[in-house]
Amino acid sequence: MKFLVLSDIHGSSLSLKTVLDNFSGTVDSIIICGDFLNHGPRNPLPEGWNTKNTAELLNAYKNQIICVRGNCDSEVDQMLLEFPCLNSYTTIFTESKSNSFNGKIFVHHGHLYTKDELKKLLSKGSLVISGHTHITVIEKEDDLFFFNPGSISLPKCDDGKTCGLIEVNNNSLTLSLYTIDGKLIRKQVF
């Protein structure tokens, strides 16, 4: 299975269109870690901010989207989005496992659960996907995998506007970070 992972779109239809044009035809599903339409009071307006167009772009992929609610998302967003977007977290179970990955993917935005809480709550070998910080992460810590694709619209790290790819097959878990226009930044195979 191959997943495109996005987070912190914040209503930038320009960035979202770039990502979808470069990756959508190559993946089975799209995981979105929240903050779909609104930029929040602490963030500037992102380049290409257009919430209605962002919703239209996302709705075109509604049958492929697996998502969670971010701290900038509200019930009003559900009025524009044609897929459920208000859950705090979701869990994906894959049949594929490796020596260290157990096949379980836990998706949350990143503002409700700390790393220490997740280490107590999740089974060893789980993959944790989050956004919220707008900072890219690929790491393994205490038998859990942590993956943050950064932000496609308002980056807060030197990697710039980013997204992620997850590839799960019979004997490996591959986590990759890309620029929104398709340039590989880094990749790690577990």
Side-chain angles (χ1 to χ4, degrees):
M1 293 190 81
K2 195 172 188 180
F3 301 94
L4 172 62
V5 185
L6 309 176
S7 192
D8 299 281
I9 301 164
H10 291 292
S12 176
S13 62
L14 179 67
S15 293
L16 179 61
K17 183 174 182 343
T18 300
V19 169
L20 293 173
D21 286 349
N22 282 297
F23 293 96
S24 65
T26 66
V27 297
D28 299 302
S29 296
I30 302 169
I31 297 172
I32 305 175
C33 299
D35 286 356
F36 302 93
L37 303 178
N38 296 305
H39 58 87
R42 295 178 299 174
N43 295 317
L45 282 177
E47 181 183 13
W49 187 69
N50 183 329
T51 56
K52 287 184 180 180
N53 189 242
T54 300
E56 290 170 6
L57 288 168
L58 290 170
N59 288 338
Y61 293 89
K62 66 184 178 183
N63 294 327
Q64 286 184 272
I65 291 177
I66 302 165
C67 65
V68 295
R69 178 183 193 158
N71 62 310
C72 293
D73 298 324
S74 69
E75 288 77 12
V76 171
D77 299 330
Q78 189 64 80
M79 296 170 74
L80 289 175
L81 298 174
E82 297 173 0
F83 50 90
C85 66
L86 297 177
N87 287 326
S88 299
Y89 68 89
T90 192
T91 304
I92 303 165
F93 294 93
T94 69
E95 293 182 17
S96 303
K97 298 176 183 175
S98 69
N99 290 338
S100 54
F101 173 58
N102 69 12
K104 183 177 180 180
I105 302 172
F106 180 83
V107 183
H108 70 127
H109 181 61
H111 67 296
L112 296 177
Y113 297 101
T114 66
K115 252 187 187 180
D116 289 336
E117 289 171 327
L118 292 171
K119 289 175 187 178
K120 293 176 187 174
L121 294 171
L122 298 176
S123 55
K124 290 181 180 185
S126 296
L127 169 59
V128 178
I129 304 172
S130 62
H132 186 57
T133 63
H134 301 216
I135 297 171
T136 57
V137 172
I138 298 177
E139 64 186 12
K140 184 178 181 188
E141 186 177 311
D142 294 337
D143 295 318
L144 290 179
F145 302 94
F146 292 93
F147 188 58
N148 186 323
S151 172
I152 71 166
S153 65
L154 296 168
K156 294 182 180 176
C157 66
D158 292 337
D159 290 331
K161 296 178 180 183
T162 54
C163 62
L165 284 181
I166 297 172
E167 295 177 69
V168 179
N169 63 42
N170 290 333
N171 54 13
S172 69
L173 168 67
T174 304
L175 304 176
S176 305
L177 292 166
Y178 286 86
T179 63
I180 63 171
D181 56 359
K183 180 184 170 197
L184 178 65
I185 298 170
R186 64 187 168 279
K187 177 181 188 175
Q188 194 157 352
V189 180
F190 297 97

